[in-house]
Amino acid sequence: MNDQVSNAPEYDALVIGAGVCGIYMAYRLAEMGMHFTVIERGSDAGGTWHWNRYPGCRFDSESETYGYSFSKELLQEWNWKERFSPREDTEEYFHHVVEKFGLRKYMQFSLMVTGAAWKEDGDFWVVTLSDGRTVTTRFILTAVGLLSCPTPPRYKGLDSFEGLSFHTYYHPREGVDYKGKRVAVIGTGSTGVQMISAIAGEVGSLTVFQRRPNWCAPLNNAPLTPEEMADIKTRYDEVFLQCRNTPSGFKHDADPRKLIDVSAAEREKFWEDLYAGSGFGIWLGNFKDVLVDEDANAEMTKFIEKKIRQRVKDPAVADKLIPRDHGFGTRRVPMETGYYEAYNQPNVRLVDISETPIETITPKGVRTSEEDFEFDIIVYATGFDAITGSFDKIDITGTGGQKLRTKWSQGPVTAYGLAVHGFPNFITLAGPQSGSAATNFPRGIEEAVEWATDLLKFVRKNGYQRVEAAPEIEREWGAHVEHMATKILFGRQQSWFTGYNSNVDRDYAPKIIVYAGGAIRYREKVGAEAETGYPSFNFA
C-alpha cells in the first residue's frame, strides 16, 4: 500500500481464517493487488466444513442461497447435489473456489495466530504464529468463524474413558465405525440433533444425554435433479435478490399477516404447509408476530408440541423432548431429518440430565446420579464459545497495551461489529454485534467483505496508513444492538445469540452478541457510513 515508513510491514494485510469469509476476503485482496497472507489452523481451506466431520453434518440454508454470488461463471459451473448440501459436498465447493481463483498460494495451513500487538511507531501489527515466527502487517482482518471454538463439557474424569471420545467439532477425519457400537451423545443442540438422526439406525445402542431440549422442525431435504439445478442456474439473480430483501438473508420472509388475522382452521392449514415445506420456512416464513409477540408465539409453540407428540410414540419420552423454558423459534431452530422418530427405536434411550445429572465420566462410560452406563464411544455435542471465543484465544494487544479480551471482559464492544476503538487497522469481518452473525452466513459475509474492501480502497486512495473506530460509535452501536434485541423474543433467551454456554465461565450476565435488527437495516447502517466518508472512523 505504498508505505512511506522505513520500517514498513511485511504484508499489507493478514487474514485470520480460510473458511467461507476468509476465502472471499482473499479473493478481494488479490483483486486489489494487495500483498497479503491467510493464516489457517486447519490443514486445508473450508472452515467449519473442514472441521465438523460428524455424520449428518450439513447446512440449513437452501444450497442455491449458500454459495458465493460474486462470479457468474462460478455459479454456472457448480452443481449442488441436494437441496441442503452435506458437509462433504460443501467442503468440495470451497476447495473448488480456492483452486479456481488461485487463492491457495496466499494461504498458510496448520498454523495459528497466537498473538498480535499494535506497533505505534510505524502503524502496523506485529503478529506471532504458532510455529514461532513473527510477521508484520498493516491490517489484520479476522475471519475466525462464529462457531469455531468448541467447548468440551466440564465433567470429572473426561480423560479416564478407555474408549473413543471426542467433541463433534473434532470428529476423526478418518471416520468412525459406529455399526453395532454402544454410543453416547451428550448434547441435543443442532449438532447433536443431526448426529443422533444419522447414526441411530446403525449403532448397537444409542444413549442421548439431554440437558435442555430444543424445538426442532423437519428439514425435508431431497436430491436436486439435473433439471432442477439447470433451472436454478437461470434464476440466480432472482435468488440473491430474494435473499437480499429479507431480514434474515434466507429466501424465507415473514408472512405479512398477524396470527389473529386468520381463522383457527386457516392458521392450522398454514402451519401444516410450513411444516411439510423445507428449510427455515416454519421459523422465518411464519406470521409476522410469531417471533415478537408472546401470545402469538405460544399458539405456534402448541402446534409444534402437537407435532412432536404425533411423532414420538412414548408420551413420557415426548414430554422430555418438549422444551418448557422457551417458545418455538426464540432460539435458533435445529432442522432435523427423522430426529423424533429415532426415539421410537428400541436401541435408543433418552436420559434427562436435568433430573439425573452426570456425576463423572468413568473408564467404561458415564455415571449419573442414578446409574452407571458403559459405552464404546462418547460424543460430546456440547456446543461452542460462540463468536467471541475464537478472539479470546488470541493475545491481541492494541494501543497503550490494552488487551482485546480485557476490553470485552463484560461483553463485546464494537463499531458495527466490524471494528474496535483502540485497535487500529483491525477489521472483524464477522465479529460480535455484526449483521452476518444472525443471517444466512454467506450472504452476510459477502457484504462484510465488500464493506471492508471499500474501506481499504478508501485508505489507499487517500494515502492513509491508519484507521480506527471512534469511541462514540461504539457507544451508539452498542445501545442500538441492545435496543433491537428487545424487539424480538430471542433476545430474552439463553442461547449462543446471547453468548450463553454452560461450559464457559462468564463474569457477567448473558449479553447480546449478534445484531437482531436484520440484514436490511444493517446494510443501511454500514452503507450510510461508507457513503458519507466514514465519519465514525478516524484516519491518519
Side-chain angles (χ1 to χ4, degrees):
M1 295 182 69
N2 301 319
D3 301 293
Q4 300 301 314
V5 294
S6 57
N7 54 347
E10 181 179 354
Y11 295 108
D12 296 329
L14 182 147
V15 181
I16 307 176
V20 183
C21 186
I23 290 169
Y24 186 42
M25 191 71 250
Y27 172 83
R28 287 300 182 199
L29 291 173
E31 187 180 52
M32 290 176 65
M34 299 274 272
H35 182 51
F36 73 98
T37 190
V38 181
I39 305 298
E40 167 55 51
R41 65 188 172 97
S43 60
D44 208 334
T48 192
W49 309 111
H50 169 84
W51 291 101
N52 290 278
R53 294 175 177 269
Y54 62 87
C57 180
R58 69 179 64 247
F59 54 59
D60 41 27
S61 310
E62 281 75 8
S63 295
E64 68 270 23
T65 75
Y66 196 87
Y68 297 119
S69 68
F70 67 85
S71 167
K72 292 188 180 298
E73 184 177 292
L74 174 63
L75 291 168
Q76 292 304 311
E77 70 188 17
W78 182 260
N79 295 307
W80 297 104
K81 299 173 185 175
E82 299 181 34
R83 288 182 186 173
F84 301 90
S85 183
R87 185 209 69 79
E88 296 81 2
D89 291 353
T90 307
E91 181 184 42
E92 182 183 348
Y93 168 78
F94 287 111
H95 289 176
H96 174 75
V97 174
V98 168
E99 298 301 332
K100 177 178 178 63
F101 296 105
L103 302 177
R104 189 172 296 278
K105 62 188 176 186
Y106 302 107
M107 298 175 175
Q108 301 183 58
F109 297 110
S110 302
L111 191 62
M112 292 186 292
V113 172
T114 59
W118 178 250
K119 184 174 174 59
E120 288 283 3
D121 56 337
D123 288 333
F124 58 78
W125 288 92
V126 180
V127 179
T128 53
L129 304 175
S130 56
D131 63 359
R133 285 184 295 147
T134 299
V135 299
T136 56
T137 180
R138 181 72 70 203
F139 282 86
I140 291 177
L141 301 109
T142 66
V144 294
L146 306 180
L147 301 174
S148 55
C149 182
T151 53
R154 298 190 287 189
Y155 301 125
K156 293 186 295 184
L158 285 179
D159 295 331
S160 70
F161 181 60
E162 296 171 353
L164 176 64
S165 64
F166 50 85
H167 190 286
T168 50
Y169 189 76
Y170 296 120
H171 189 281
R173 292 179 61 84
E174 64 273 14
V176 174
D177 180 10
Y178 292 98
K179 189 174 182 179
K181 298 294 196 301
R182 300 168 299 172
V183 180
V185 174
I186 300 176
T188 55
S190 294
T191 299
V193 165
Q194 287 184 332
M195 185 162 184
I196 289 162
S197 305
I199 67 173
E202 65 173 303
V203 298
S205 66
L206 175 61
T207 305
V208 177
F209 294 89
Q210 173 186 267
R211 180 175 56 88
R212 294 178 72 198
N214 281 286
W215 296 107
C216 306
L219 181 64
N220 291 323
N221 186 33
L224 278 173
T225 66
E227 294 75 20
E228 288 172 324
M229 193 63 235
D231 176 64
I232 287 170
K233 289 180 179 181
T234 69
R235 298 186 291 104
Y236 266 124
D237 287 345
E238 173 190 333
V239 168
F240 292 124
L241 181 61
Q242 185 178 18
C243 292
R244 184 176 176 82
N245 289 332
T246 67
S248 64
F250 289 91
K251 62 186 290 185
H252 310 284
D253 200 2
D255 190 286
R257 299 170 296 175
K258 289 185 177 181
L259 183 144
I260 59 172
D261 292 339
V262 302
S263 67
E266 189 178 357
R267 177 194 316 161
E268 188 79 3
K269 182 182 184 307
F270 177 63
W271 284 340
E272 288 286 359
D273 289 344
L274 288 177
Y275 200 79
S278 59
F280 278 144
I282 188 71
W283 182 30
L284 302 174
N286 219 309
F287 296 114
K288 69 177 183 180
D289 54 346
V290 161
L291 298 182
V292 298
D293 179 82
E294 289 185 347
D295 292 336
N297 183 263
E299 291 302 311
M300 179 63 202
T301 300
K302 291 177 186 176
F303 173 83
I304 298 295
E305 177 176 345
K306 179 182 70 174
K307 302 303 289 187
I308 295 172
R309 293 192 183 281
Q310 289 173 352
R311 295 172 61 183
V312 180
K313 294 178 180 177
D314 186 335
V317 174
D319 281 340
K320 293 182 185 298
L321 291 168
I322 292 168
R324 304 298 178 190
D325 60 349
H326 68 284
F328 176 78
T330 61
R331 300 174 69 191
R332 200 177 197 279
V333 178
M335 306 305 294
E336 48 82 22
T337 301
Y339 173 65
Y340 291 111
E341 286 74 14
Y343 294 99
N344 297 329
Q345 297 178 197
N347 66 327
V348 177
R349 178 180 174 186
L350 179 64
V351 177
D352 186 344
I353 57 176
S354 68
E355 296 177 353
T356 57
I358 293 175
E359 293 185 342
T360 186
I361 305 300
T362 68
K364 298 299 182 184
V366 175
R367 177 178 300 146
T368 69
S369 60
E370 190 175 75
E371 188 175 350
D372 273 300
F373 298 81
E374 292 190 0
F375 299 112
D376 302 305
I377 302 169
I378 299 176
V379 180
Y380 299 114
T382 48
F384 300 85
D385 188 0
I387 307 181
T388 55
S390 295
F391 288 92
D392 290 342
K393 288 188 173 296
I394 305 172
D395 184 19
I396 302 169
T397 307
T399 58
Q402 178 182 202
K403 301 287 188 181
L404 183 65
R405 63 169 67 106
T406 301
K407 176 160 182 168
W408 286 0
S409 63
Q410 294 301 304
V413 182
T414 75
Y416 306 112
L418 291 165
V420 185
H421 175 69
F423 296 81
N425 295 8
F426 186 74
I427 302 175
T428 54
L429 294 169
Q433 301 183 326
S434 71
S436 56
T439 64
N440 187 357
F441 192 59
R443 307 280 62 79
I445 66 94
E446 277 196 338
E447 294 187 354
V449 166
E450 285 158 12
W451 189 91
T453 301
D454 288 343
L455 177 65
L456 293 175
K457 289 178 179 178
F458 181 85
V459 166
R460 181 161 62 180
K461 177 182 177 181
N462 290 280
Y464 298 128
Q465 294 189 26
R466 170 176 173 151
V467 56
E468 180 182 359
E472 310 87 69
I473 186 57
E474 288 188 329
R475 291 190 291 270
E476 293 171 8
W477 185 247
H480 177 65
V481 168
E482 292 294 323
H483 174 68
M484 295 311 299
T486 66
K487 295 180 174 294
I488 191 166
L489 294 176
F490 89 64
R492 308 173 196 176
Q493 297 299 328
Q494 290 184 335
S495 73
W496 68 265
F497 283 170
T498 56
Y500 177 80
N501 183 310
S502 62
N503 296 308
V504 178
D505 289 322
R506 301 282 189 218
D507 294 328
Y508 59 91
K511 183 176 180 180
I512 294 293
I513 59 174
V514 303
Y515 180 60
I520 298 171
R521 184 179 283 106
Y522 183 77
R523 186 184 308 124
E524 291 171 350
K525 294 281 186 182
V526 297
E529 181 73 37
E531 289 166 7
T532 53
Y534 307 96
S536 302
F537 291 78
N538 298 321
F539 296 86

